[in-house]
């Protein structure tokens, strides 16, 4: 991404997302997922809502850093793992941090997504 200029900060990460569904729901057709991301041993519970606008998906989200005990607690309450998705991302951020572009590859889905923040 040469557009970002010479002062661009580049960061590469590997993480995986664990998708949990409530005990009474089956994976097929479930819309009430809880996403827990493991990034280098740090867990985050993530909530988002997709808004579709033409060819674009706007996905405002909020995430909370949590202990791995939260994941264990949810599973003890009966939540089931529906999917585990490996994610590789490369993020380009302007030196003044006003804009960042992240290219993410979801291995199990064989898809690449681009996210722009700023």
């Amino acid at each position: 991404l040469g557009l970002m200029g010479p002062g661009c900060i580049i960061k590469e990460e590997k993480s995986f997302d664990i998708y949990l569904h409530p005990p009474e729901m089956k994976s097929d057709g479930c819309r009430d997922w809880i996403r827990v991301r493991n990034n280098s041993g740090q867990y985050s519970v993530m909530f988002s809502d997709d808004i579709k606008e033409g060819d674009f998906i706007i996905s405002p989200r909020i995430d909370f850093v949590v202990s791995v005990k939260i994941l264990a607690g949810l599973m003890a309450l009966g939540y089931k793992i529906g999917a585990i998705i490996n994610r590789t991302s490369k993020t380009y951020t302007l030196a003044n941090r006003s804009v960042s572009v992240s290219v993410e590859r979801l291995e199990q889905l064989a898809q690449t997504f681009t996210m722009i923040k700023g």
Side-chain angles (χ1 to χ4, degrees):
L1 285 173
L3 305 171
M4 299 297 279
C8 176
I9 301 163
I10 301 172
K11 179 177 168 185
E12 292 186 52
E13 291 182 330
K14 288 189 177 200
S15 61
F16 61 90
D17 292 340
I18 303 166
Y19 289 86
L20 302 169
H21 61 82
E24 68 277 357
M25 301 288 248
K26 300 242 185 248
S27 294
D28 297 341
C30 181
R31 298 190 44 86
D32 296 323
W33 295 93
I34 294 177
R35 180 169 61 169
V36 179
R37 177 169 290 170
N38 180 323
N39 188 350
S40 302
Q42 181 174 339
Y43 287 85
S44 300
V45 175
M46 309 177 82
F47 300 96
S48 65
D49 191 20
D50 291 345
I51 302 166
K52 295 181 180 174
E53 184 69 36
D55 291 337
F56 295 96
I57 300 173
I58 302 165
S59 184
R61 76 174 193 213
I62 186 168
D63 56 282
F64 302 95
V65 175
V66 297
S67 164
V68 69
K69 292 177 183 179
I70 296 294
L71 177 59
L74 287 168
M75 293 186 72
L77 289 171
Y79 280 79
K80 306 275 190 247
I81 295 176
I84 298 175
I85 306 290
N86 292 305
R87 175 184 303 266
T88 305
S89 64
K90 191 169 189 177
T91 304
Y92 304 85
T93 305
L94 289 177
N96 66 6
R97 301 194 184 273
S98 62
V99 175
S100 68
V101 176
S102 181
V103 179
E104 297 193 355
R105 174 87 178 147
L106 305 180
E107 292 177 24
Q108 285 78 1
L109 301 177
Q111 291 184 335
T112 301
F113 295 91
T114 303
M115 294 189 325
I116 302 169
K117 298 178 187 175

